[in-house]
Amino acid sequence: MSQKVLVFGDIGIDDTAALIYGYFDDNIDIVGVVANYGNISREKALANVHYVKNLFDISPSVEVITGAESPMTGEKPQYYPEIHGEYGLGPIIPPSVANEFQRENFFKVMEIIRRYSDELVIVNIGRLTSLAMMFILYQKEMSNVRKYYIMGGAFWTPGNVTAVAEANFYGDPMAAHIVLKYAHNTTIIPLNVTEQAIVTPRMVDYISQVGKAKILKPLLDYYYAFYKQRNPSIPGSPLHDVVTLMAVSYEDMFQFERLPVQIVRDLNSKARGQSIADIRPYSEPKKNRHRVALELDYRLFYVRFMSTMTGQQFG
């Protein structure tokens, strides 16, 4: 039976790849997408969700929801066109979205939570501002959500925005703190694990040749060009958001440990957005603990990603 999934994301290249993966994975039923600011503006994120829906003729029943426009810190968001392209889809310029698709409809998140109740899984693959707002407004109802999966943080590895911080936690550390304080049954898929989820140009070419998601090639070719420029030795593109969504169905791909996690919230500190896991065996038992992924079984990732995206059996 497929799992009902509500996705929160900023819908750049890897978020888009995650939505496409979710469309092809029979174990996942994406019932809604909350489009936020992040690597691109909220308006561009909304346009990208509608573009993907139209491209794959996805059911109109999949809700597209207008999320946060800026972080709880009160700062102006910083965008990253050098990584995701001006519109968030690499070289692709999606059609503009009509005004009726950009109206404020954030209340629909609560409708989805009430509709599916303890069947629902929330996957957050962007900044955590919108999800944090749900805990501020509807803390009791949010306890009905079955599970939470969060792409964020970096443990025992360099960050991708600063020396210590990953982008989603750095972009709004206040929101990350709120979510980790109140969310129950939460799994964190951090940067040190998602960076292992590499898709090589050869894999992308094969998907383009035999699969139905032809759009992946221009997206991931653009994405890889950025990573290759930054790190010439990298063999492919890390699919941070895809592997986080895959965790909903395939937890056996990961090694986990339950740990207390704190977020540095001092906006003026060089440690801003740093995620700190307390690995001491004598840490306070009353601290809220989250399941943190520590390792990825790449062979399983490869087999399942390629099987899903090509319609062929790998492994």
Side-chain angles (χ1 to χ4, degrees):
M1 182 178 175
S2 61
Q3 301 192 65
K4 306 296 184 185
V5 175
L6 175 61
V7 174
F8 287 69
D10 50 356
I11 322 304
I13 288 176
D14 51 341
D15 310 69
T16 300
L19 294 182
I20 294 169
Y21 172 87
Y23 173 70
F24 285 107
D25 186 343
D26 292 337
N27 298 310
I28 292 174
D29 180 13
I30 295 178
V31 297
V33 180
V34 181
N36 316 299
Y37 78 95
N39 291 312
I40 55 174
S41 69
R42 179 181 68 173
E43 288 67 33
K44 291 175 180 177
L46 284 164
N48 292 345
V49 180
H50 285 287
Y51 177 70
V52 171
K53 280 190 69 174
N54 293 333
L55 188 66
F56 291 95
D57 195 23
I58 295 172
S59 170
S61 65
V62 177
E63 297 279 6
V64 181
I65 298 166
T66 303
E69 190 172 18
S70 58
M72 290 181 171
T73 62
E75 299 165 311
K76 184 178 180 180
Q78 180 179 356
Y79 306 132
Y80 298 92
E82 68 276 13
I83 305 176
H84 294 267
E86 183 64 30
Y87 294 88
L89 295 178
I92 298 171
I93 302 176
S96 60
V97 176
N99 288 335
E100 65 265 24
F101 292 126
Q102 295 199 15
R103 67 186 184 280
E104 298 292 343
N105 61 346
F106 191 61
F107 63 90
K108 285 189 175 292
V109 175
M110 201 64 249
E111 290 181 11
I112 290 173
I113 290 171
R114 287 171 177 155
R115 185 183 312 150
Y116 296 106
S117 189
D118 57 1
E119 288 184 77
L120 188 67
V121 175
I122 286 180
V123 176
N124 198 112
I125 51 178
R127 312 300 186 259
L128 287 96
T129 313
S130 295
L131 185 55
M133 283 301 303
M134 294 304 300
F135 283 101
I136 291 172
L137 295 170
Y138 304 108
Q139 191 176 137
K140 182 178 179 181
E141 287 88 345
M142 295 300 283
S143 67
N144 294 326
V145 174
R146 186 160 65 92
K147 293 181 181 180
Y148 296 88
Y149 291 83
I150 296 169
M151 190 280 121
F155 301 94
W156 312 292
T157 192
N160 59 355
V161 173
T162 70
V164 296
E166 176 275 330
N168 289 336
F169 284 9
Y170 179 89
D172 194 343
M174 308 302 185
H177 168 73
I178 289 170
V179 171
L180 295 186
K181 181 177 176 65
Y182 293 109
H184 70 287
N185 206 2
T186 301
T187 297
I188 300 172
I189 312 294
L191 189 67
N192 40 295
V193 171
T194 64
E195 285 184 330
Q196 300 174 37
I198 293 290
V199 173
T200 66
R202 187 175 179 182
M203 293 165 67
V204 172
D205 288 343
Y206 191 73
I207 292 169
S208 180
Q209 179 184 349
V210 305
K212 296 180 180 179
K214 309 296 184 185
I215 187 180
L216 278 184
K217 181 167 174 56
L219 291 179
L220 296 184
D221 283 353
Y222 187 99
Y223 205 41
Y224 181 48
F226 165 79
Y227 278 102
K228 189 74 171 175
Q229 183 180 27
R230 189 168 69 171
N231 176 12
S233 67
I234 196 168
S237 305
L239 295 189
H240 310 283
D241 299 336
V242 173
V243 74
T244 302
L245 185 60
M246 290 177 73
V248 173
S249 302
Y250 300 119
E251 294 189 340
D252 61 333
M253 294 195 309
F254 306 89
Q255 292 180 20
F256 297 104
E257 189 167 343
R258 298 195 71 85
L259 298 166
V261 176
Q262 297 293 322
I263 310 299
V264 176
R265 304 186 298 282
D266 183 346
L267 302 184
N268 297 315
S269 169
K270 290 183 178 180
R272 167 190 170 142
Q274 182 179 13
S275 48
I276 302 172
D278 190 345
I279 62 175
R280 296 174 299 171
Y282 52 85
S283 62
E284 296 177 30
K286 291 184 179 180
K287 283 186 177 179
N288 193 13
R289 291 173 179 262
H290 301 291
R291 192 172 61 161
V292 180
L294 303 179
E295 291 290 339
L296 172 71
D297 185 326
Y298 183 79
R299 186 190 67 83
L300 288 179
F301 166 76
Y302 172 86
V303 166
R304 288 162 178 173
F305 177 75
M306 292 300 290
S307 297
T308 298
M309 299 311 299
T310 63
Q312 300 177 349
Q313 190 61 44
F314 279 69

